[in-house]
Amino acid sequence: MCFGRCARCVGYKLLILALLCIVANTLLYFPNGETRFASEHHLSKYVECLHGILGGGFLVLIPAAVFIGLHSDDCGCFGHEGCGKSCAMLSSVLAAFVGILGSGYCITISALGLSQGPYCFTHLERNWIYPFTDSSGGYLFEYNKWSECQEPQNIVQWNVTLFSILLVLGGIEFILCFIQIINGILGGLCGLCCSHEETYVC
């Protein structure tokens, strides 16, 4: 199987994951489907980092488009078709590094968002605060404390679910981009396609 075909396989998967990241990050802005918390700036600072929209989203769409655009009949480089195919695969390595940066950013911010917890109005402080900052993520397993957040309603569950989804999606994107770095280097060194006797499983 072609190295290029495997790259396109990775590209389509990244496309789906990037779109899911954009949707998940967008939902973080609207707890329970309400817009007033975003307009009043009553959201966690990590929600506004655009880690799913920018990092796991648009920065991953770049390598996805590059990988999907790879063809077995890429034009030659310096008049040599084989070199052109190798150049195309090696260029996909650079695009994969962009995806690594974007997915890494998504992973980092998602982890920080889970660790700090939501920004909410508590019945104890009667103010908007980060009630779980000092727990270093321990609140995730202390469900009885989640009720401390009165507004937005069910904000702990909302944040934990979406930040966790973004963490997983970013992790999968990171792995796929890393696979494409290896695939692109091999494809660049060996030519775009393997010989008919070899099989390369994607």
Side-chain angles (χ1 to χ4, degrees), residues 111-140:
L112 290 172
L114 283 172
S115 176
Q116 186 178 54
Y119 183 65
C120 62
F121 184 86
T122 67
H123 65 278
L124 295 176
E125 298 290 336
R126 290 293 175 183
N127 197 11
W128 289 87
I129 60 171
Y130 291 96
F132 309 117
T133 300
D134 297 330
S135 69
S136 300
Y139 76 96
L140 293 169

Side-chain angles (χ1 to χ4, degrees), residues 11-157:
Y12 284 117
K13 291 174 182 176
L14 286 177
L15 175 62
I16 295 172
L17 291 168
L19 293 176
L20 289 175
C21 279
I22 292 173
V23 171
N25 197 165
T26 302
L27 288 174
L28 277 171
Y29 276 89
F30 308 108
N32 304 313
E34 299 183 51
T35 60
R36 63 187 179 94
F37 300 110
S39 61
E40 296 170 358
H41 302 288
H42 287 154
L43 296 173
S44 167
K45 62 182 179 182
Y46 292 114
V47 172
E48 300 177 350
C49 287
L50 301 177
H51 58 296
I53 296 174
L54 178 61
F58 291 117
L59 285 181
V60 173
L61 285 175
I62 294 172
V66 172
F67 302 160
I68 293 171
L70 288 175
H71 298 288
S72 58
D73 57 349
D74 284 316
C75 60
C77 179
F78 303 111
H80 300 287
E81 184 181 0
C83 178
K85 294 175 180 179
S86 296
C87 287
M89 289 304 295
L90 290 174
S91 68
S92 74
V93 174
L94 297 178
F97 275 112
V98 175
I100 288 282
L101 291 175
S103 58
Y105 177 64
C106 183
I107 292 170
T108 302
I109 299 301
S110 296
L112 290 172
L114 283 172
S115 176
Q116 186 178 54
Y119 183 65
C120 62
F121 184 86
T122 67
H123 65 278
L124 295 176
E125 298 290 336
R126 290 293 175 183
N127 197 11
W128 289 87
I129 60 171
Y130 291 96
F132 309 117
T133 300
D134 297 330
S135 69
S136 300
Y139 76 96
L140 293 169
F141 308 101
E142 298 173 342
Y143 309 115
N144 58 314
K145 293 186 177 180
W146 290 9
S147 58
E148 290 182 16
C149 285
Q150 287 189 317
E151 247 188 309
Q153 190 175 11
N154 300 319
I155 186 59
V156 181
Q157 294 91 323

